[in-house]
Structures are given as structure tokens and as C-alpha cells.
């Protein structure tokens, strides 16, 4: 079949080209390498760290020197701990990434690397090998500590291409999969390839993607929809945002392939409004794809039609549940409904609808291009491929990683993330968002896959991973996550509406030193009732932090109740501040810092703290230079 469209090449000229010819032309243009280039990470994390100021400083310095240098932007390469990140590439030389770049460092960076041609080794993070020999003393990306155990599929373009450029997406293999699907495959063959890959939904429960597509295709109806769930609301999670900001065309291509496979001609991306940069780049990508005939009517001249829309969500966590999400798109209050019927049979406006999350759709072009067996060769027997995780909390290197299924928690936390901040003791890792479980140190060698995590009392979820150290109170952690899910409950079903409130009340009492031992049995019984009877996934999984901390950290609950003591010194109601008279010099710094006037004493004489007035803020302890104040 002849797949041809009118595509725009450089210089404003137009020629009738197929995608392969256009791709080859773009690759030739991009490999000219006739002058230096500088790229600044301008995703949300980069901008929050000062990326815009760094880019402005680079532009000013280059203009002041009269240099011929190309400046562009890219997305997050994953090393969020080192933002702002700047890439410098000289013709024929490896690309070098610098971290923690400030406007003050810009002149030195330009002088040393761009003008003199030598990288600033002490500032460099990694280099991406090319045709030239790598620079000595700078880690090479595939083998570096942070990337050595990663396998980048969904994240392969992040930080390396301009996310707002369709040309760069095409030049790096974009739309090869769609061209293959429309030119060589039937819808049934596409679904079969996804089944062979073993791809499971990356948004939570891990339902087999190929099966879901097959159910939607076989459902009766002449109108069908594909929907992308980008309503990422988990604390500490930013996987979907990073992919949408860094490679929006891959998600659009994956959704287009899904639409062809199930027989849909219309789709929606449901993205929370708190992601303005992701929505901006999605809009640009949809417009660019439509202009080139890759969306809309008669895609690539094949007669296949597919239109794509964006729905900005208002930020309700419950709208991450698929039926609540569909209600929100329809303009209704985002509340779950009873299933069956499932969305594959009766979804958006009562029509068969396929729903997957961002990462799931982004995997599809790579699977179609490389084959289902290629994807299935990665991971474990029942959890195929790779998974994107967000590393946050008390680790040395926070950021975005992509690893093969089956890697252990220890490899992720200590090999990739570099271990615990300040070399403190690891206590727990919470996986799966606010509905995930907290796993202790003896689970560090647990393989990260759907089934292993479920057996351990956690869930894969969308991929949030929060690491905690010795200074974390696990009772307070359970209260924190339950407070979040209780506030986000839609209130439709009694188990979630009332059960979360009662559990939160019990946890609060325990953290305030008013708990009783029988509260633990009540808490566990309530958690299991809510888990087994709630209407949707939010209620069914929200007890996980309670159940997992009761299972692995019960001794901390008992310390709060029996000893009226928080082992981690976190719960304020249980803290007692005292002054060691032998160490106190009577300088008065603590008394001046106390906002409650709880500290008294004569000058140059030992001071004392009145426990009745102390609000336990810790200001006195911070100001004392002699270590005379203790927190018990």
C-alpha cells in the first residue's frame, strides 16, 4: 500500500514524501553538526529549579561573545536531584550533561567547554557516547551509576530530544509503528501483538492490555472511544507528567494505534489541570500531528480517521478511577459507579471505551515497532517489560527511573538512587501511591513485580516510590496517607466515607498518646471491611498503608500506646524537651527563640522548660549551640 502525505521539510519547501523518506531527510539534517549546541532541561522540575534563568543567562552570554551556538530546550532526563541540567555538544564530540547549573556558572561553562573545547569535568554528570571517543573522567550514560541498571524504553527520548518538535520525534523513529500498523497489519494482528508482549496496565491493577483491547473491539457498537488516564494524583508521583512533558507524541501515537485496533475514531486525554506544561505540550503535539496528517481524517491516506481531545481535570484524586474519570469527561461529578458493565462494554456516553494510562500507551509504539517478543523478553514471567518509577523521599538521588520488571528494591534504592541521605538507616519504602504498602528492610531483596508486591502487602500502582529513613514514624506515615485518601473520598459509598474517617480518628488518637491496645484490633478490622466492601479502587486499597504498617511495624504502634513514646521523635504530642543543667551556659538563645515563652532562667545560669507552656516546636533545640537541649 502506498502511504504518502504532503509533509513540510526545512526551508519552508514542500515535497510529496512518505514517512521513511522524511525521516531520512531529518536525520541527515540533524547529523550535520556544524556548530555547538546547548540544551536546557525545561520540564516542570527544571523550571522549578531555575532552568528559565539559566537559559536566559546562556542566551545573554552567547550574544555577548558573538558565538554561533544553537540553544534549545528538552525535558527531564530523569536526574531531578541535579536540576537545572544543561547539555553541551560540540561537533563530532559526545554530549555532556551538567548538573546544578546556575546563572553564575554559565560564563565559566561557555569559556571552558564551548570556546576552549574541553568539558568542565567537576561539574559534569554524564556523557552520551557518539561517534567520537568519550571524554575521560566523565561517566558514560549507559554504564553510569544512575543509569547502569536502567533500561530506557518509554523514557528513551526524555532529556535527549525537543518534546515540542514533531520533526525530532520522526527523526528518532517516531510514527514507524503507526506506519507499520496502517500499512501491514489488521486490527486483530495489532491486538495479538500486544497480547504476545505481555504488557499489563501501568496505572494500577496491572490488567493485561491486549485482553482489554480485545474486549473493547468485540463489544457491539458503531461508536467507540479510547481514553488516556493522565489524572496522576499520587503524592510523590510524576511519571505520567514527565512522559507527557518529555515525549507527548509517543502517547498520541500509542492512542492512535489503539484506536485503529479497537475500531474507535475519537479519543480523550484526561489530564489534571495542575499539569499546565503537560497540557501545553499535548496541545502543540496534537496540532502538529493533525497538520501533518497523522491525526484527523484519512490518516496517512489509509481512510482511517481519529480525532483526539484534551479534558483538563479539576484535581480530584478519585477521578483517577476509570468510571469516575468517564463521568468527569461527560461533565458530571466525578464519582465511581458499580461495575459491571465495564467501560469496555459501556463506557464514555454509554459506548465501548478503552482506558489505559500514559505509560501504557507510550509503550505501544515500541512494542509494535520491535515486536511483542522483544518486549516479553524483558522482565519476569508474569510481569513483562520495564516500569517507570519516581524515586522520592530520603534517597540521595531523587528522580525518574525506568527499570526491568523483577529488579529488587535494594538495587533501586542503593545502586541507582545511591542509598539513604546522610547515610542514615533505611526504615521502609512505600510503593504504589497513597494506597500502597510500606515495606521494611527485610523486604529489600523483594523483586519488583505485580505479584510479589501484592503478596508482600503493597501494590505496583502507577509507580510512586517513597523511601523513609530512621527518623520516620510509621504510625504518622499511615495517618498521613489515610488523611489524604479520606479527604479525597467522593463519599458515595458508606465503607469508604465512614470507614476512612473512623480509621483516621483512631490513628490520630494513637499519635497523640491517647490510644488503647484494643484500638489496634479495631483498626485492623475496619481496614479489612473497607478493603473488601468499598465501591472503587480508592476505597479498596486505601487501607494498605495501615495493614502493612501494622504487619511490619506493630512495635511502633505499641510504643505509642503503652509507653506514650514515638520512637522516631516525630509525633509532637508525645515529645518532651528538657535542658541538661550541666551543659547549659545560660546564654539565653533558647529563651529568645521560644515563641511560647516556655523557657526561663537567670543569665549565665541553667535554664528550664515549662512543659505546660512548651508547644514542642523545636526552635530551642535548633538555636542551642551547646547540645544542652534533648528531645525525648
Amino acid at each position: 500500500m502506498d502511504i504518502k502525505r504532503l509533509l513540510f521539510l526545512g526551508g519552508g519547501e514542500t515535497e510529496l514524501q512518505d514517512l521513511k523518506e522524511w525521516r531520512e531527510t531529518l536525520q541527515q539534517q540533524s547529523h550535520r553538526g556544524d556548530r555547538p549546541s546547548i540544551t536546557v532541561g525545561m520540564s516542570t522540575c527544571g523550571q522549578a529549579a531555575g532552568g528559565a534563568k539559566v537559559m536566559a543567562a546562556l542566551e545573554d552570554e552567547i550574544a555577548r561573545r558573538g558565538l554561533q551556538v544553537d540553544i534549545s530546550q528538552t525535558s527531564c532526563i530523569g536526574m531531578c536531584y541535579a536540576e537545572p541540567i544543561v547539555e553541551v555538544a560540540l561537533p563530532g564530540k559526545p554530549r555532556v550533561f551538567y548538573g546544578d547549573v546556575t546563572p553564575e556558572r554559565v560564563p565559566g561553562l561557555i569559556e571552558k567547554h564551548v570556546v576552549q573545547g574541553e568539558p568542565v569535568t567537576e561539574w559534569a554528570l554524564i556523557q552520551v557516547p557518539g561517534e567520537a571517543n568519550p571524554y575521560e573522567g566523565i561517566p558514560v550514560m549507559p554504564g553510569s551509576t544512575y543509569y547502569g541498571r536502567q533500561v530506557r524504553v518509554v523514557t528513551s527520548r526524555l532529556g535527549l530530544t525537543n518534546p515540542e518538535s514533531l520533526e525530532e520525534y520522526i527523526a528518532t523513529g517516531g510514527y514507524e509503528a503507526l506506519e507499520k500498523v496502517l500499512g501491514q497489519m489488521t486490527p486483530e494482528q495489532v491486538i495479538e501483538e500486544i497480547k504476545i508482549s505481555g504488557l499489563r496496565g501501568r496505572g494500577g491493577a496491572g490488567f493485561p492490555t491486549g485482553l482489554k483491547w480485545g474486549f473493547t473491539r468485540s463489544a457491539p457498537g458503531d461508536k467507540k472511544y479510547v481514553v488516556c488516564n493522565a489524572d496522576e494524583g499520587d503524592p510523590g508521583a510524576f511519571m505520567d507528567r514527565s512522559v507527557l512533558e518529555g515525549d507527548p507524541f509517543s502517547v498520541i501515537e500509542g492512542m492512535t494505534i489503539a484506536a485503529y485496533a479497537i475500531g474507535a475514531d475519537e479519543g480523550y486525554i484526561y489530564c489534571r489541570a495542575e499539569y499546565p506544561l503537560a497540557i501545553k505540550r499535548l496541545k502543540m503535539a496534537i496540532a502538529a500531528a493533525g497538520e501533518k496528517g497523522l491525526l484527523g481524517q484519512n490518516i496517512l491516506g489509509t481512510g482511517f480517521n481519529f480525532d483526539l481531545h484534551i479534558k483538563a481535570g479539576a484535581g480530584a484524586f478519585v477521578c483517577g478511577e476509570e468510571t469516575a474519570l468517564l463521568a468527569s469527561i461527560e461533565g458530571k461529578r466525578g464519582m465511581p459507579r458499580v461495575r459491571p458493565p465495564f467501560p469496555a462494554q459501556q463506557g464514555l456516553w454509554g459506548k465501548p471505551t478503552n482506558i489505559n494510562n500514559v505509560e501504557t500507551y507510550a509503550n505501544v509504539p515500541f512494542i509494535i515497532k520491535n515486536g511483542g517478543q522483544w518486549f516479553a523478553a524483558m522482565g519476569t514471567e508474569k510481569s513483562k517489560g520495564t516500569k517507570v518509577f519516581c524515586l522520592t523521599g530520603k534517597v540521595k538521588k531523587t528522580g525518574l527511573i525506568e527499570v526491568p520488571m523483577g529488579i529488587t528494591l535494594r538495587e533501586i534504592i542503593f545502586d541507582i538512587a545511591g542509598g539513604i541521605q546522610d547515610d542514615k538507616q533505611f526504615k521502609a519504602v512505600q510503593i504504589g501511591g497513597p494506597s500502597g504498602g510500606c515495606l521494611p528492610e527485610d523486604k529489600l531483596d523483594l523483586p519488583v513485580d505485580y505479584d510479589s508486591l501484592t503478596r508482600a502487602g503493597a501494590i505496583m500502582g502507577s509507580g510512586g516510590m517513597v523511601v523513609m529513613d530512621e527518623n520516620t514514624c510509621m504510625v504518622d506515615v499511615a495517618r498521613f496517607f489515610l488523611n489524604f485518601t479520606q479527604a479525597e473520598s467522593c463519599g458515595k459509598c458508606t465503607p469508604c466515607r465512614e470507614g476512612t474517617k473512623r480509621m483516621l480518628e483512631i490513628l490520630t488518637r494513637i499519635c497523640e498518646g491517647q490510644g488503647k491496645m484494643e484500638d489496634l484490633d479495631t483498626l485492623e478490622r475496619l481496614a479489612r471491611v473497607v478493603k473488601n466492601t468499598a465501591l472503587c479502587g480508592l476505597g479498596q486499597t486505601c487501607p494498605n498503608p495501615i495493614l502493612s504498617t501494622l504487619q511490619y511495624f506493630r512495635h511502633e504502634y505499641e510504643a505509642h500506646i503503652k509507653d506514650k513514646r514515638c520512637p522516631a521523635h516525630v509525633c509532637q504530642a508525645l515529645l518532651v524537651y528538657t535542658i541538661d543543667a550541666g551543659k547549659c551556659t545560660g546564654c539565653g538563645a533558647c529563651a529568645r527563640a521560644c515563641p511560647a515563652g516556655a523557657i526561663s532562667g537567670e543569665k549565665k545560669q541553667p535554664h528550664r522548660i515549662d512543659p505546660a507552656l512548651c508547644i514542642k516546636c523545636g526552635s530551642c533545640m535548633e538555636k542551642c549551640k551547646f547540645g544542652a537541649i534533648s528531645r525525648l
Side-chain angles (χ1 to χ4, degrees):
M1 178 170 54
D2 187 22
I3 305 177
K4 294 181 178 293
R5 294 292 294 170
L6 187 66
L7 299 173
F8 291 83
L9 301 179
E13 299 176 357
T14 61
E15 295 181 20
L16 193 64
Q17 301 271 331
D18 65 20
L19 281 175
K20 182 178 180 181
E21 292 169 351
W22 191 31
R23 183 175 297 108
E24 291 173 350
T25 302
L26 292 169
Q27 289 171 344
Q28 291 171 3
Q29 292 173 347
S30 65
H31 288 160
R32 286 179 300 178
D34 53 1
R35 60 185 186 181
S37 67
I38 296 178
T39 309
V40 182
M42 291 289 281
S43 281
T44 296
C45 54
Q47 294 190 33
K53 293 180 180 179
V54 171
M55 176 169 272
L58 285 165
E59 292 172 339
D60 291 344
E61 184 69 13
I62 289 169
R64 186 182 70 81
R65 291 172 176 262
L67 300 174
Q68 296 295 312
V69 179
D70 294 325
I71 301 182
S72 61
Q73 65 174 330
T74 187
S75 57
C76 174
I77 197 171
M79 297 184 289
C80 303
Y81 65 93
E83 293 283 5
I85 294 176
V86 173
E87 174 208 310
V88 179
L90 303 181
K93 298 288 186 179
R95 305 159 70 175
V96 178
F97 288 81
Y98 295 96
D100 300 311
V101 180
T102 62
E104 292 73 26
R105 282 187 170 185
V106 165
L109 190 62
I110 297 296
E111 173 64 28
K112 185 79 184 294
H113 197 158
V114 177
V115 176
Q116 297 180 17
E118 290 296 328
V120 188
T121 305
E122 59 268 28
W123 295 350
L125 293 172
I126 57 168
Q127 59 179 312
V128 179
E131 298 175 0
N133 293 327
Y135 294 110
E136 293 186 7
I138 302 175
V140 179
M141 183 176 183
S144 67
T145 303
Y146 192 74
Y147 290 104
R149 295 181 180 270
Q150 293 195 45
V151 177
R152 288 166 65 91
V153 179
V154 169
T155 61
S156 58
R157 292 188 183 89
L158 270 59
L160 301 175
T161 61
N162 184 345
E164 297 181 2
S165 172
L166 175 60
E167 287 75 14
E168 289 196 27
Y169 182 72
I170 295 288
T172 53
Y175 282 106
E176 285 185 19
L178 182 62
E179 188 177 20
K180 177 180 178 181
V181 163
L182 298 183
Q184 304 173 28
M185 302 176 73
T186 65
E188 291 76 14
Q189 288 174 324
V190 174
I191 293 173
E192 183 60 27
E193 201 67 40
I194 299 299
K195 289 181 179 179
I196 290 171
S197 74
L199 176 66
R200 296 172 65 171
R202 297 302 196 242
F207 191 83
T209 305
L211 283 179
K212 182 181 284 190
W213 288 19
F215 293 153
T216 314
R217 177 164 183 80
S218 62
D222 55 356
K223 177 71 176 181
K224 297 179 182 179
Y225 294 94
V226 292
V227 172
C228 177
N229 184 349
D231 189 60
E232 184 176 57
D234 297 1
F238 48 90
M239 300 78 55
D240 291 351
R241 173 180 61 75
S242 297
V243 173
L244 291 175
E245 292 178 356
D247 196 11
F249 290 104
S250 67
V251 181
I252 293 171
E253 184 180 5
M255 292 185 70
T256 308
I257 292 170
Y260 172 78
I262 70 171
D265 63 359
E266 194 171 0
Y268 285 84
I269 300 176
Y270 188 91
C271 183
R272 53 180 44 226
E274 293 96 325
Y275 287 176
L277 183 58
I279 292 176
K280 172 191 170 186
R281 288 181 174 167
L282 277 172
K283 288 180 177 178
M284 295 177 67
I286 289 172
E291 181 184 345
K292 304 302 182 185
L294 298 166
L295 273 179
Q297 302 298 302
N298 195 28
I299 295 175
L300 293 175
T302 63
F304 170 59
N305 306 324
F306 180 59
D307 290 308
L308 191 55
H309 316 284
I310 298 173
K311 169 67 176 179
F317 181 69
V318 73
C319 285
E321 196 278 337
E322 58 183 17
T323 60
L325 181 152
L326 294 177
S328 182
I329 293 177
E330 294 173 352
K332 304 172 185 175
R333 182 180 177 185
M335 299 179 75
R337 62 167 171 80
V338 177
R339 297 175 298 175
F342 293 95
Q345 285 75 44
Q346 187 176 325
L348 193 60
W349 288 293
K351 306 297 183 182
T353 303
N354 179 80
I355 307 176
N356 290 120
N357 86 322
V358 170
E359 187 181 344
T360 308
Y361 282 123
N363 267 301
V364 169
F366 294 99
I367 292 172
I368 296 299
K369 177 181 174 180
N370 298 296
Q373 292 290 356
W374 163 82
F375 189 83
M378 298 182 284
T380 65
E381 181 182 356
K382 295 183 179 180
S383 299
K384 307 293 186 182
T386 62
K387 180 71 186 78
V388 181
F389 288 100
C390 289
L391 279 170
T392 58
K394 301 297 185 177
V395 287
K396 293 179 180 178
K397 298 177 181 178
T398 58
L400 190 78
I401 66 169
E402 185 173 4
V403 292
M405 291 281 198
I407 191 172
T408 66
L409 290 169
R410 187 183 303 277
E411 290 173 296
I412 292 175
I413 296 169
F414 289 92
D415 294 342
I416 297 176
I420 309 303
Q421 290 178 5
D422 302 321
D423 295 320
K424 292 185 176 180
Q425 183 69 31
F426 168 88
K427 177 176 275 191
V429 56
Q430 198 263 3
I431 306 175
S435 300
C438 299
L439 303 180
E441 187 174 12
D442 62 7
K443 298 295 181 182
L444 279 174
D445 293 313
L446 185 77
V448 179
D449 60 59
Y450 291 99
D451 300 325
S452 297
L453 291 176
T454 301
R455 285 194 297 268
I459 58 174
M460 181 76 72
S462 57
M465 191 174 289
V466 183
V467 180
M468 301 164 227
D469 66 10
E470 60 194 67
N471 295 329
T472 304
C473 172
M474 301 311 298
V475 184
D476 185 61
V477 164
R479 180 176 66 163
F480 170 81
F481 284 114
L482 190 65
N483 182 64
F484 176 84
T485 51
Q486 196 276 326
E488 293 293 338
S489 172
C490 73
K492 184 175 182 178
C493 73
T494 302
C496 186
R497 182 182 67 248
E498 297 298 327
T500 55
K501 189 174 182 179
R502 297 286 88 79
M503 289 189 292
L504 183 59
E505 289 172 351
I506 294 173
L507 287 171
T508 300
R509 286 204 308 270
I510 294 174
C511 288
E512 292 177 349
Q514 300 173 13
K516 302 175 182 178
M517 285 303 296
E518 53 263 33
D519 285 339
L520 299 186
D521 293 333
T522 303
L523 191 60
E524 186 169 359
R525 185 171 68 253
L526 266 174
R528 297 200 181 280
V529 168
V530 174
K531 188 178 185 69
N532 294 328
T533 60
L535 175 62
C536 78
L538 184 149
Q540 293 162 8
T541 58
C542 74
N544 284 338
I546 296 174
L547 292 172
S548 61
T549 52
L550 280 172
Q551 179 181 358
Y552 298 119
F553 301 96
R554 195 179 189 91
H555 60 280
E556 291 201 19
Y557 283 87
E558 293 176 350
H560 282 70
I561 296 172
K562 293 180 178 179
D563 305 329
K564 308 301 180 185
R565 178 179 62 88
C566 175
H569 298 167
V570 170
C571 298
Q572 285 196 351
L574 300 180
L575 298 180
V576 177
Y577 286 84
T578 61
I579 296 178
D580 186 337
K583 294 181 180 180
C584 180
T585 64
C587 68
C590 58
R592 290 189 294 272
C594 179
I599 302 177
S600 61
E602 298 294 328
K603 189 176 182 180
K604 295 185 180 181
Q605 296 297 319
H607 284 41
R608 64 177 296 275
I609 299 175
D610 185 346
L613 297 177
C614 179
I615 61 173
K616 305 169 184 180
C617 64
S619 298
C620 58
M621 196 171 182
E622 293 176 3
K623 290 295 183 180
C624 182
K625 299 179 180 179
F626 306 99
I629 301 179
S630 300
R631 182 173 58 194
L632 305 175

